[in-house]
Amino acid sequence: MSPAGVPPDPARPAGSTGRAGQAGQARQARQAGAGGLDAAQALLDDLLRRPPELPYDPGLLRELFESTRDNSMAPLSVVAGVVNKAQGLATRVLSLANSAYYGLQSEVTSVQRAVAVLGMAEIRALVLALGVSRMIDRSRLPAAFDLRDYWAHQLSVAAGCRLLARRLPGCDAETCYTAGLLHDLGKLLIAAYRPDDWTAIRQLARDENLMDSEAEERLLGLDHGVVGARLLSFWDLPMALTEPINWHHAPHLAGEHERAALVVHVADAALRLRERLAGRNADGLPGGLSPRMSPDLPDDLLIPQGLDDAARTLGVDVPAFMAEIETLLEGERIGQFVSQLA
């Protein structure tokens, strides 16, 4: 048992928690009381004792990541063969590939052709998104959990991650895209496994003007990044994916994966700000979202200091990035994708 009372990650060798894992244990020990640690341990125990069932063997994911990694020499036929192993998966992948979201000029009729047109990493992300969307029994989710909003945010953040990572040396844009697509997986798991806790977290966040991750730390002793990353680690997915998700609310603790965690953090926070602006029907242009430029705007419609600091670490100007996101998402047909996931 770890010092923080949280079970060790079954996908990591004993005694090799690493810098990020040790930092996480320390953070949980500092921030959570005994009740919080008990809740954290119970949640993770329950999650790994009866993990949600994917519509395909988790081993398929490992094969897919192996065949689509950066230095892989696997031909398109191998990647297509992995997808075709799972009954019904190829059909769903082709349905998404042919949706208006991708705007293809002609219909794709085979997985191998989809891999050739969209790319290996895009097919990998499609398989993961389809798996997550099918593994949660919707009847277990709280009535207030909006799956369409959930997936719209995941896809928007994924697009923002790719946009950021493509201009940053040493960042794998497609892995960052996938991390963005799954960064809130833990929220979905908390809602499904602990619906009462999810409702309490949302209430606390509203009552005390907290981020969801802050409310989760108070009530559970960990945040949704840890929960989602633990399940992905259980499926033996690579740390290049799991660690940015694990630490997207504390990127400075992500060790060698800090840069990717910062990418997810910035994209997530910027998209949350965009959603708040839309919810308030605010007309503020991205250049006018700083306290200095718009002193009369409510605090929740201003660029948070944490977002600004993280963006500066990456050399990113937040208003300029938000303007780019706006342009990017105007051309995306995210609703078409969401309709097949929610």
Side-chain angles (χ1 to χ4, degrees):
M1 189 66 65
S2 74
V6 175
D9 186 339
R12 306 285 182 251
S16 63
T17 56
R19 173 181 158 189
Q22 292 165 359
Q25 292 169 359
R27 177 169 61 127
Q28 290 172 5
R30 288 195 307 271
Q31 294 182 344
L37 290 175
D38 287 344
Q41 180 174 330
L43 172 59
L44 294 179
D45 278 349
D46 199 18
L47 179 63
L48 300 185
R49 185 173 59 251
R50 51 184 190 97
E53 291 187 7
L54 287 164
Y56 44 73
D57 189 315
L60 181 146
L61 288 179
R62 293 190 289 274
E63 284 188 65
L64 199 55
F65 269 86
E66 180 66 20
S67 60
T68 58
R69 69 184 192 276
D70 279 351
N71 59 349
S72 173
M73 301 298 290
L76 302 183
S77 59
V78 169
V79 179
V82 173
V83 175
N84 283 322
K85 283 182 181 180
Q87 185 176 9
L89 179 59
T91 301
R92 292 194 290 271
V93 166
L94 289 175
S95 178
L96 270 177
N98 286 307
S99 71
Y101 177 73
Y102 288 108
L104 301 182
Q105 297 301 308
S106 59
E107 185 179 5
V108 173
T109 57
S110 72
V111 174
Q112 185 165 331
R113 179 60 180 161
V115 175
V117 172
L118 299 179
M120 292 185 179
E122 190 71 36
I123 295 299
R124 182 180 70 194
L126 283 182
V127 170
L128 271 166
L130 285 166
V132 170
S133 75
R134 298 295 192 274
M135 76 181 185
I136 294 295
D137 181 355
R138 285 155 177 75
S139 67
R140 296 171 61 187
L141 293 172
F145 192 98
D146 191 320
L147 271 173
R148 292 189 64 85
D149 284 352
Y150 170 84
W151 280 114
H153 178 71
Q154 304 313 291
L155 287 159
S156 298
V157 171
C161 286
R162 180 185 276 156
L163 182 67
L164 279 175
R166 280 178 172 167
R167 67 187 57 168
L168 296 172
C171 263
D172 180 344
E174 296 309 319
T175 298
C176 286
Y177 176 88
T178 306
L181 188 65
L182 299 175
H183 75 284
D184 280 347
L185 172 60
K187 287 188 178 182
L188 187 61
L189 295 169
I190 292 170
Y193 279 73
R194 295 288 189 276
D196 291 343
D197 285 343
W198 181 85
T199 301
I201 287 163
R202 294 298 304 125
Q203 188 64 51
L204 178 61
R206 283 191 295 268
D207 290 348
E208 300 196 22
N209 194 28
L210 300 173
M211 294 172 55
D212 284 348
S213 59
E214 294 170 329
E216 290 159 357
E217 289 273 11
R218 284 205 200 173
L219 291 178
L220 297 178
L222 44 66
D223 68 29
H224 58 271
V226 176
V227 177
R230 184 57 59 87
L231 181 62
L232 296 173
S233 294
F234 181 75
W235 290 335
D236 202 23
L237 296 186
M239 293 182 73
L241 174 66
T242 62
E243 290 301 272
I245 292 171
N246 191 4
W247 299 108
H248 72 275
H249 285 295
H252 62 289
L253 296 176
E256 64 184 280
H257 303 284
E258 179 177 1
R259 200 164 179 78
L262 277 165
V263 166
V264 180
H265 177 84
V266 169
D268 180 34
L271 265 298
R272 290 288 178 200
L273 177 56
R274 178 179 182 267
E275 291 160 10
R276 291 196 297 273
L277 286 165
R280 292 285 195 94
N281 294 315
D283 296 325
L285 296 174
L289 296 177
S290 69
R292 181 177 60 82
M293 297 295 293
S294 302
D296 296 329
L297 275 177
D299 287 346
D300 65 335
L301 300 185
L302 298 172
I303 297 172
Q305 189 62 51
L307 167 58
D308 194 51
D309 291 344
R312 287 178 186 276
T313 300
L314 294 176
V316 172
D317 177 76
V318 175
F321 174 58
M322 290 187 68
E324 287 186 78
I325 286 178
E326 201 63 40
T327 301
L328 174 68
L329 294 182
E330 282 177 4
E332 297 274 350
R333 300 176 178 88
I334 284 179
Q336 298 288 335
F337 205 128
V338 168
S339 66
Q340 299 203 39
L341 295 175

